[in-house]
Amino acid sequence: MAQVLGLSRTTVSAAYGRLRDDGFLTGGQGAAARTSLPAGPGPRHAPGVDETKPGLIDLTAAVLPADPNVHAAYVRALERLPANLPGHGYETAGLEELRETVAAGYRRRGLPTSPGQILITHGAHNGLVHLLRLTVRPGDPVVIDHPTYPQAIDAILAAGGRATPVALPDDASEDGWDVEGLVSACRRSGAPMAYLVLDHNNPTGRMMRAPDRSRLLAGLKGSETLLVLDETLVDLTLSGPPALSASAVDAPRVVRLGSMSKSVWGGLRIGWIRADRAVIQRLAQSRASFDLGVPILEQLAAVELLNDGGAALAARRPLLRARRDHLRAQLAHRLPDWTCPRPAGGLSLWVRLPAPISSALTVRAEAEGLRLAAGPRFGVDGAFERRLRLPYTLPEPVLDQAVDRLAKAAKALGRRPKPTTATRGRLLPVY
């Protein structure tokens, strides 16, 4: 078959494997292969369903299944792998080809970047851990926007830092940042680092406007605070001007974290740090005591995926936009006393509840077959009991089931008292 089609044996073998996995081939590998129709549509494992607990819908992860092009990218990466085998395989800063590909993406955004300003990591979270190890000492404050990504809070605490929250304005507009509060917190505390998610903040989905970014950088000019911007969701604008245009504001003490986990596939585990060359060199030296770099095959696959001209993301945005609007409509119908702002982008809704019941609701929902991430998981000191993050990454039929179970849990909970400390802030892994 490979000779007839003029393809490699790896590609043909992968094609046969894909046909078997999807149910279109049976037999083979020593027996005659026969064509067949799959038993049913859709993937073998339904997305959002915990296979260890049949029927349980998991909404703790705001992530998408793998982009359809991931498998093909790995096939092409395997074909290119032999060219890298004569080397030792330890690329502390990452493959030059991938670093240039990532740098080119920043240049397209209006941020002049060279490969020497890029360090490849095991996802954005791994990049944050490296920065914390390099910058923060036990007891140091780290300024964060509040709410924020839960695993970032965990990483700050694990590094011995003190998460210093600056609340996002909580008003009817569900927009904006307290820029003056962020600048004041950094300068007053002498924080060596501020970790902010300005591009479709996880969990709120809001985005800081370009004028506010300029005011933030002007306010921090001359300070010792390293401003770490998590841009994991920067590509996922669903309404209004793209975040990429606003995020083209830069300064020497700004470090950017990027990742393919949210836009392509979490299982790829490829991320990067963009920073000043001196910072990248220090990170490359210090990481050796923590990890020795990222697997070559994954980096080659990442190059293939990043060089698709944005086609994969262009196909995913309409799907996410439709699911976002569908989930909001279902919540408005089944739970009309809940407030569901429409985020400009990202992967989740940050829902306002009619009472401080988030933790108790999370416990009750699991009894109904629905796993949730309670609001306090996204903050410190027990905040956000009136909030709940609901991802819209699952197919509409699964979201309908989730809302049905959520409504049943809310009805069963009724007007119970505030949850006890035993149920508040359960440390679930949240993505």
Side-chain angles (χ1 to χ4, degrees), residues 106-191:
Y106 283 109
R107 293 196 294 269
R108 287 192 293 272
R109 289 166 54 179
L111 295 169
T113 305
S114 67
Q117 291 177 268
I118 304 295
L119 181 85
I120 305 302
T121 62
H122 297 272
H125 181 268
N126 178 248
L128 175 60
V129 170
H130 282 305
L131 287 164
L132 287 166
R133 292 177 73 245
L134 186 68
T135 308
V136 175
R137 299 294 173 262
D140 281 349
V142 178
V143 174
I144 59 172
D145 37 20
H146 201 228
T148 193
Y149 178 50
Q151 310 293 49
I153 297 175
D154 295 344
I156 291 167
L157 298 178
R162 293 184 292 108
T164 303
V166 177
L168 295 176
D170 192 10
D171 53 32
S173 68
E174 296 286 343
D175 196 11
W177 259 260
D178 181 1
V179 175
E180 288 71 24
L182 288 170
V183 172
S184 175
C186 291
R187 289 194 171 276
R188 186 179 65 250
S189 67

Side-chain angles (χ1 to χ4, degrees), residues 105-106 108-113 197-200 207-211 213-214 217 229-235 237 241-251 254-257 274:
Y106 283 109
R108 287 192 293 272
R109 289 166 54 179
L111 295 169
T113 305
V197 190
L198 305 184
D199 300 290
H200 308 312
M207 181 179 70
M208 182 182 279
R209 293 176 289 265
R213 294 172 195 250
S214 298
L217 293 180
L229 303 181
D230 188 333
E231 297 184 334
T232 304
L233 297 164
V234 70
D235 291 303
T237 299
L244 294 170
S245 59
S247 60
V249 180
D250 209 12
V254 173
V255 175
R256 297 171 186 271
L257 298 174
R274 178 198 181 272

Side-chain angles (χ1 to χ4, degrees), residues 50-420:
D50 188 336
E51 296 296 326
T52 65
K53 294 186 177 181
L56 180 71
I57 297 175
D58 189 351
L59 289 186
T60 62
V63 292
L64 288 162
D67 181 277
N69 297 311
V70 167
H71 183 261
Y74 268 93
V75 171
R76 293 192 296 271
L78 275 171
E79 294 173 345
R80 297 176 53 207
L81 183 61
N84 291 271
L85 296 179
H88 52 62
Y90 292 104
E91 300 288 346
T92 308
L95 282 178
E96 180 75 13
E97 183 181 5
L98 178 55
R99 296 166 72 197
E100 168 55 31
T101 300
V102 172
Y106 283 109
R107 293 196 294 269
R108 287 192 293 272
R109 289 166 54 179
L111 295 169
T113 305
S114 67
Q117 291 177 268
I118 304 295
L119 181 85
I120 305 302
T121 62
H122 297 272
H125 181 268
N126 178 248
L128 175 60
V129 170
H130 282 305
L131 287 164
L132 287 166
R133 292 177 73 245
L134 186 68
T135 308
V136 175
R137 299 294 173 262
D140 281 349
V142 178
V143 174
I144 59 172
D145 37 20
H146 201 228
T148 193
Y149 178 50
Q151 310 293 49
I153 297 175
D154 295 344
I156 291 167
L157 298 178
R162 293 184 292 108
T164 303
V166 177
L168 295 176
D170 192 10
D171 53 32
S173 68
E174 296 286 343
D175 196 11
W177 259 260
D178 181 1
V179 175
E180 288 71 24
L182 288 170
V183 172
S184 175
C186 291
R187 289 194 171 276
R188 186 179 65 250
S189 67
M193 179 189 293
Y195 167 85
L196 306 178
V197 190
L198 305 184
D199 300 290
H200 308 312
N201 167 269
N202 184 358
T204 69
R206 70 177 71 181
M207 181 179 70
M208 182 182 279
R209 293 176 289 265
D212 287 341
R213 294 172 195 250
S214 298
R215 286 198 298 125
L216 177 64
L217 293 180
L220 293 177
K221 188 175 182 179
S223 78
E224 294 301 313
T225 301
L226 190 70
L227 183 58
V228 178
L229 303 181
D230 188 333
E231 297 184 334
T232 304
L233 297 164
V234 70
D235 291 303
L236 295 176
T237 299
L238 306 179
S239 304
L244 294 170
S245 59
S247 60
V249 180
D250 209 12
R253 289 195 62 77
V254 173
V255 175
R256 297 171 186 271
L257 298 174
S259 172
M260 303 179 73
S261 298
K262 300 293 188 180
S263 56
V264 179
W265 186 40
L268 187 59
R269 304 311 309 137
I270 289 288
W272 53 84
I273 300 172
R274 178 198 181 272
D276 182 80
R277 280 178 174 270
V279 174
I280 294 297
Q281 290 171 2
R282 290 171 60 200
L283 285 167
Q285 293 169 0
S286 68
R287 81 179 301 176
S289 63
F290 189 73
D291 70 60
L292 297 176
V294 179
I296 299 298
L297 182 62
E298 274 65 25
Q299 294 189 66
L300 291 173
V303 170
E304 298 288 339
L305 290 161
L306 289 172
N307 282 333
D308 76 339
L313 276 170
R316 289 197 144 188
R317 291 190 191 100
L319 177 144
L320 283 171
R321 191 178 300 118
R323 291 180 180 178
R324 176 196 63 185
D325 296 342
H326 181 86
L327 179 57
R328 292 184 73 241
Q330 289 297 308
L331 289 168
H333 174 63
R334 297 296 305 275
L335 295 156
D337 55 341
W338 292 19
T339 303
C340 304
R342 185 172 183 262
L347 297 170
S348 60
L349 303 178
W350 185 233
V351 178
R352 189 195 302 272
L353 305 175
I357 58 171
S358 186
S359 293
L361 181 63
T362 298
V363 173
R364 179 62 205 180
E366 185 131 6
E368 298 288 343
L370 178 64
R371 181 171 293 157
L372 302 170
R377 188 70 181 91
F378 298 85
V380 297
D381 299 329
F384 307 120
E385 275 293 354
R386 286 182 175 268
R387 292 287 190 163
L388 188 67
R389 189 190 74 168
L390 295 177
Y392 42 79
T393 52
L394 301 180
E396 282 89 340
V398 181
L399 291 176
D400 291 344
Q401 294 180 52
V403 172
D404 181 63
R405 297 178 189 186
L406 188 58
K408 290 178 180 177
K411 182 177 180 181
L413 190 62
R415 295 184 175 275
R416 292 184 183 179
K418 288 180 68 174
T420 65

